[in-house]
Amino acid sequence: MAKDSQVCVVMVPFLAQGHLGQLLHLSHLISSYNIPVHYVSTATHIHQTTSRNQGWELQSFENIHIHEFPIQPSHSPPPDPKAPTKFPFHLEPALETSVHLCEPVFKLLTSLSATAGRLIIIHDNLMSYVVQDFDSLPNAETYSFQNSSVFFYFSHYWNLTGRHIAADDQILQQLPGVEGCFSSELFAFAEKQKVHVRKISGHLYNTSRSIEGYYFDLLQELQLSKKQWAIGPFNPVEICKKPDDKRHKCLEWLDSQTSNSVIFVSFGTTTSLTNKQAHALAVGLEKSCQKFIWVLRDADRVDIFTGEVRKPELPEGYEDRILKANQGMIVRDWAPQLEILAHTFTGGFMSHCGWNSCLESITMGVPIAAWPMHSDQPRNAALITKVLQSGTIVKDWDERNDLVESLIIENAVKKLMASREGDEMRKRAAQFSDAIKKSVAEGGVSHIELDSFVAHITR
């Protein structure tokens, strides 16, 4: 590349699946403007995110350059399903590991700066300190990627700033607090980022104004000093069907069901169920008499490729029984969530309400049975169930430390999958899906926002 020839973008994701995947897809979006994108992480996490990428082929995008740094997590403890809170304490070594990216990332930035007209750094909001020396480069500027819903960020900052912005919304007054959502270690880690965040030129959000426009406008009022763009969703809106030999086995079972008849059950990559909770969930699903696909796997370690993986226990003979009865299927490995949600026979999603899962479900028009576990999830659940009204609560956050009994699970599944109320949720979910898909099409609000961001960085 000749000096001053073009803009060059560097992506710096945090070391966890929900963060890695979002910025990889944003790389896809930006590279489609014929802008070279450099995606950086540890070799382990590059392997993780590329092996789990869904909906598009990374190899076909020559403008995306992957940089693997040979940094290994110092230790990768197993998740503890019996921990008093569900926050994934076992992933906190990732905070320590990310510190070691500072030197190799800055070397790459220095090299790219010497050959680019302008160097654009897009970093996770938990990786600000990794790129903190960017301001010593004459042509570099940074943008912070916010990996949760705008509803979560606005409600959080609204409380911190004394609620001085007028928000005509009773829901905000009744939101759960953050007690039990995060660890003190994560708060301390986030606090260290603040001095570096002040240097950024703007914020990017994985959302669309078509679903969060009201809260995005309010958030802009709170943060007038920074430019902001809502350019999501950072997931494909259409899924091409793979050849049979490349499809996951659960999709073949799903093909044999009927329209909107199956509830997909998955709690993401950071939650582990106790054997007792898994047992209650198994009973509740079976007694609901509804079809289901249940991804039952332990939470990710810092390094998903090392250590034994615990398999939560189910009632004796359960897996064979429900499969023989054609009621359900248990998946014990990584499952293609987007493909499952996009399938016309999937009619509901029991979810922890991580923002990736929420947005993927909204994109595919699937209502949610919300079971928040930690972090931003309780407020994301409020967005889904109270604001968008495209889901129902399984477990109230005030009862987060209690076992969810099988009868509660049974009733929640029936409500979502076999009631008039559930049908109304499905209709609203389909409307939001249509709005999301229109937003990323030519002339749609997300497409306009992405055009605006690209025009800004290539000005």
Side-chain angles (χ1 to χ4, degrees), residues 42 51 72 199-200 205 234 327 333 356 364 371-372 414:
T42 74
S51 66
Q72 293 299 319
K199 304 176 183 178
I200 67 173
Y205 292 90
F234 296 168
Q327 185 185 355
D333 56 358
N356 274 338
M364 300 308 168
W371 187 335
K414 286 179 177 177

Side-chain angles (χ1 to χ4, degrees), residues 220-240:
Q220 286 185 305
E221 285 190 56
L222 286 178
Q223 299 180 331
L224 289 175
S225 61
K226 302 292 182 183
K227 292 182 178 295
Q228 302 189 80
W229 293 269
I231 56 178
F234 296 168
N235 56 257
V237 297
E238 301 289 348
I239 303 296
C240 297

Side-chain angles (χ1 to χ4, degrees), residues 21-212:
Q22 290 189 60
L23 282 188
L24 186 61
H25 192 73
L26 180 57
S27 300
H28 170 206
L29 295 176
I30 292 177
S31 71
S32 68
Y33 287 79
N34 198 30
I35 296 173
V37 180
H38 298 260
Y39 183 94
V40 305
S41 192
T42 74
T44 295
H45 290 94
I46 291 292
H47 184 194
Q48 175 177 326
T49 192
T50 54
S51 66
R52 292 176 171 180
N53 187 45
Q54 297 178 73
W56 57 283
E57 294 296 330
L58 177 62
Q59 296 79 7
S60 63
F61 286 79
E62 296 180 355
N63 254 348
I64 300 178
H65 310 278
I66 303 295
H67 299 266
E68 305 179 11
F69 297 119
I71 297 166
Q72 293 299 319
S74 54
H75 55 297
S76 187
D80 179 9
K82 295 182 179 180
T85 65
K86 290 295 184 184
F87 183 82
F89 293 95
H90 63 282
L91 291 181
E92 287 183 345
L95 309 182
E96 178 184 336
T97 300
S98 63
V99 171
H100 301 294
L101 284 169
C102 293
E103 183 178 349
V105 167
F106 186 66
K107 285 183 178 178
L108 176 65
L109 296 177
T110 302
S111 174
L112 294 173
S113 173
T115 59
R118 181 179 294 120
L119 182 64
I120 302 298
I121 304 160
I122 300 174
H123 61 84
D124 195 284
N125 60 352
L126 290 176
M127 298 291 275
S128 303
Y129 71 101
V130 170
V131 299
Q132 61 183 284
D133 295 327
F134 82 92
D135 51 358
S136 67
L137 303 173
N139 57 344
E141 56 194 48
T142 63
Y143 297 83
S144 175
F145 164 61
Q146 314 287 53
N147 67 298
S148 189
S149 64
V150 165
F151 180 78
F152 169 77
Y153 286 116
F154 171 72
S155 62
H156 179 63
Y157 294 134
W158 186 63
N159 279 321
L160 287 180
T161 56
R163 304 185 176 188
H164 68 274
I165 295 290
D168 184 19
D169 198 330
Q170 291 299 314
I171 292 168
L172 289 169
Q173 312 285 346
Q174 302 167 1
L175 287 177
V178 294
E179 182 182 357
C181 291
F182 302 95
S183 70
S184 58
E185 289 81 1
L186 185 69
F187 275 127
F189 184 75
E191 191 67 25
K192 292 179 181 178
Q193 312 293 317
K194 286 187 176 179
V195 64
H196 310 304
V197 168
R198 296 190 187 108
K199 304 176 183 178
I200 67 173
S201 298
H203 300 291
L204 303 179
Y205 292 90
N206 179 16
T207 193
S208 170
R209 284 181 175 270
S210 63
I211 56 171
E212 291 199 279

Side-chain angles (χ1 to χ4, degrees), residues 351-410:
S351 172
H352 61 305
C353 290
W355 185 235
N356 274 338
S357 290
C358 287
L359 202 51
E360 289 173 2
S361 196
I362 293 169
T363 301
M364 300 308 168
V366 180
I368 291 177
W371 187 335
M373 302 288 183
H374 59 79
S375 303
D376 58 335
Q377 297 163 18
R379 295 194 181 184
N380 292 342
L383 173 67
I384 294 294
T385 61
K386 295 181 179 180
V387 179
L388 303 181
Q389 298 181 30
S390 61
T392 185
I393 286 287
V394 179
K395 184 177 186 178
D396 190 88
W397 185 243
D398 291 338
E399 300 168 351
R400 60 187 174 275
N401 296 322
D402 298 340
L403 178 78
V404 184
E405 300 289 350
S406 59
L407 181 60
I408 294 174
I409 295 164
E410 176 188 346

